[in-house]
């Protein structure tokens, strides 16, 4: 795990805004804008690996739907998402608590070189606040992942990589 660059990815509220997500123009289940923003991050940090931290991780058919949407969008828009055929990893599928603790728990057993979390839940809760500061991208649920969120994610990853 040392040397890895991880992106913890939530789905609802991050790739899939709610309550009224825009429709994809290419047939993906996620809006083009959120997939474009994720593609920006992967273009800027090509060694980054996705760890699914969403509740979608608990159902294989939902994971398959995510990957299929990545493929569809990636092939239509020449995005690095086209190369993703599986997630690098998942946070514990049998353990559901607050997202902050789920990611913290994962990181206790896996020590990446750099990491960020794309999440619409507050990861800067008191319990592990210091651990998540400078690594949590607070995505607005009704909007989903934006280019500005992607720019922040890239900047935070690059700062961590410069220190390692």
């Amino acid at each position: 795990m040392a040397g890895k660059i991880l992106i913890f990815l939530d789905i609802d509220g991050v790739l899939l805004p709610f309550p009224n997500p825009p429709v994809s123009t290419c047939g993906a289940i996620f809006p083009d804008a959120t997939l474009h923003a994720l593609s920006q991050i992967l273009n800027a940090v090509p060694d980054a690996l996705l760890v699914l931290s969403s509740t979608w991780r608990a159902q294989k058919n939902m994971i398959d739907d995510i990957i299929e949407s990545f493929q569809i969008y990636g092939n239509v828009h020449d995005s690095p998402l086209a190369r993703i055929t599986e997630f690098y990893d998942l946070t514990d599928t049998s353990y559901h608590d607050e997202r902050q603790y789920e990611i913290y728990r994962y990181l206790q057993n896996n020590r990446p070189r750099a990491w960020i979390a794309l999440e619409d839940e507050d990861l800067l809760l008191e319990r592990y606040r210091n651990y998540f500061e400078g690594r949590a991208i607070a995505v607005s649920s009704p909007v989903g992942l934006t280019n500005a969120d992607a720019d922040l994610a890239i900047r935070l990853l690059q700062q961590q990589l410069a220190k390692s």
Side-chain angles (χ1 to χ4, degrees):
M1 181 62 56
K4 303 279 189 225
I5 303 165
L6 302 181
I7 298 172
F8 290 91
L9 180 64
D10 184 23
I11 299 298
D12 293 318
V14 175
L15 286 188
L16 188 62
F18 59 85
N20 300 308
V23 177
S24 168
T25 61
C26 64
I29 59 175
F30 308 115
D32 294 349
T34 62
L35 293 173
H36 174 76
L38 182 58
S39 296
Q40 266 185 264
I41 300 168
L42 296 174
N43 275 325
V45 188
D47 294 333
L49 302 167
L50 297 179
V51 176
L52 186 60
S53 55
S54 168
T55 55
W56 289 43
R57 72 188 187 269
Q59 295 185 25
K60 184 180 179 336
N61 65 316
M62 295 180 94
I63 294 170
D64 293 343
D65 289 345
I66 299 166
I67 298 298
E68 180 182 14
S69 282
F70 287 175
Q71 299 282 306
I72 291 168
Y73 178 87
N75 288 321
V76 169
H77 295 282
D78 192 29
S79 157
L81 290 172
R83 296 189 302 270
I84 298 175
T85 57
E86 63 184 2
F87 284 96
Y88 170 72
D89 207 353
L90 313 171
T91 53
D92 191 341
T93 58
S94 63
Y95 185 81
H96 295 276
D97 194 2
E98 64 186 38
R99 191 67 43 83
Q100 183 197 47
Y101 183 67
E102 292 169 6
I103 294 170
Y104 175 82
R105 186 173 173 207
Y106 179 94
L107 289 165
Q108 295 312 293
N109 298 316
N110 303 278
R111 300 291 180 162
R113 181 173 163 210
W115 65 274
I116 57 162
L118 304 174
E119 179 61 61
D120 66 321
E121 289 184 24
D122 185 5
L123 294 179
L124 296 178
L125 301 171
E126 197 58 41
R127 187 173 181 192
Y128 301 110
R129 182 182 192 90
N130 293 340
Y131 205 75
F132 283 85
E133 285 181 332
R135 295 178 179 201
I137 312 303
V139 176
S140 170
S141 299
V143 177
L145 190 66
T146 64
N147 291 338
D149 295 328
D151 290 342
L152 176 58
I154 293 163
R155 189 168 57 255
L156 293 176
L157 282 170
Q158 289 173 338
Q159 287 171 355
Q160 291 175 56
L161 291 169
K163 292 178 185 176
S164 65

